[in-house]
Amino acid sequence: MLDWIKSLSNRSEFVGVLALAFGWPICQSLSMALSPQALTAVFDNASLSGLMGTQLATLAIIGAFLRVRGWTWARLGPAPGWRDLPQGLGLAAATLIGFWLLHAAAALIGLLPVDADDSVRVAPDLDWRLMLAASAVNGFFEEALVCGYLVSALRERPSMWTAIHLSTAIRASYHLYQGEAGAIMVPMGLAFAWLYSVSGRLWPLVVAHIALDALALFSR
């Protein structure tokens, strides 16, 4: 088995990792987007625990697979440091401001309703410790794979915009369930993938994503 994994082409590795990580979320998101019913995702203790467990298991499988393939943490960038925290929080704040401006502009021209987005609902009895844990796992899961792995795997391409656009497209595709509001993920995806491609630092993106997820859950 190990010899077979090592013998896989880089393209097979790339497709396999992304399919395992995002294949099912994309299918679920697309199914919700095509449903005639309202696009609403409801997070309660059971669904959030299930999502976190699935992501941790997927990370373990992909991590073991890539280790056999010769990947190391160093290939994704420097180890986390204290400066990643303020940089990540600053990025989260900039992203929120960007979201607000884009939403306001879209609402002004009639592309989005003026009232608050209702594509995600949180159960009133959701455990705050679970919200924090799920935000941490999801933030790391998404950024480590849709930015860290994807951009690093395509780093030898003549243009890094290939990786940036693909990363953005995948990020947007598993947020289709959010309807028109999910379109705001496109500029976020472009910004995050571009920042990683030029800086090589993953952890500010992870911190920013964790902060954004936690804020989204606690504010509903």
Side-chain angles (χ1 to χ4, degrees):
M1 176 62 76
L2 295 182
D3 290 339
W4 176 77
I5 292 176
K6 292 178 182 178
S7 71
L8 291 173
S9 67
N10 290 338
R11 178 176 296 180
S12 296
E13 172 201 293
F14 185 76
V15 172
V17 168
L18 294 182
L20 178 59
F22 301 111
W24 181 242
I26 290 174
C27 288
Q28 283 186 311
S29 185
L30 182 60
S31 176
M32 291 183 66
L34 296 176
S35 172
Q37 301 173 350
L39 298 177
T40 301
V42 180
F43 288 118
D44 55 21
N45 289 318
S47 63
L48 210 56
S49 296
L51 175 63
M52 185 168 60
T54 299
Q55 289 181 334
L56 286 172
T58 303
L59 280 172
I61 294 170
I62 291 176
F65 172 77
L66 291 178
R67 186 175 182 83
V68 173
R69 294 278 300 170
W71 281 75
T72 63
W73 280 112
R75 190 169 173 181
L76 297 183
W82 283 110
R83 67 172 179 162
D84 294 324
L85 182 58
Q87 289 179 354
L89 294 178
L91 178 58
T95 303
L96 283 174
I97 294 171
F99 277 2
W100 183 83
L101 291 174
L102 287 172
H103 192 282
L108 185 64
I109 61 177
L111 293 179
L112 285 175
V114 178
D115 56 348
D117 170 38
D118 198 33
S119 61
V120 176
R121 294 180 183 173
V122 174
D125 62 340
L126 194 58
D127 191 314
W128 66 269
R129 292 162 296 188
L130 181 59
M131 286 193 281
L132 289 177
S135 297
V137 171
N138 184 69
F140 176 76
F141 178 89
E142 290 193 32
E143 299 309 327
L145 293 170
V146 82
C147 266
Y149 170 75
L150 189 155
V151 173
S152 297
L154 297 181
R155 196 170 291 279
E156 303 303 321
R157 293 277 178 170
S159 172
M160 282 309 300
W161 284 104
T162 300
I164 292 170
H165 288 147
L166 181 58
S167 174
T168 303
I170 292 176
R171 188 190 297 268
S173 66
Y174 57 75
H175 286 101
L176 289 172
Y177 69 92
Q178 294 181 348
E180 293 89 345
I184 299 178
M185 288 295 165
V186 173
M188 174 184 171
L190 287 170
F192 275 40
W194 178 81
L195 283 172
Y196 179 71
S197 69
V198 298
S199 71
R201 297 195 66 85
L202 177 67
W203 293 100
L205 306 183
V206 173
V207 171
H209 199 134
I210 292 172
L212 291 170
D213 278 359
L215 181 62
L217 289 174
F218 277 96
S219 63
R220 293 181 183 271

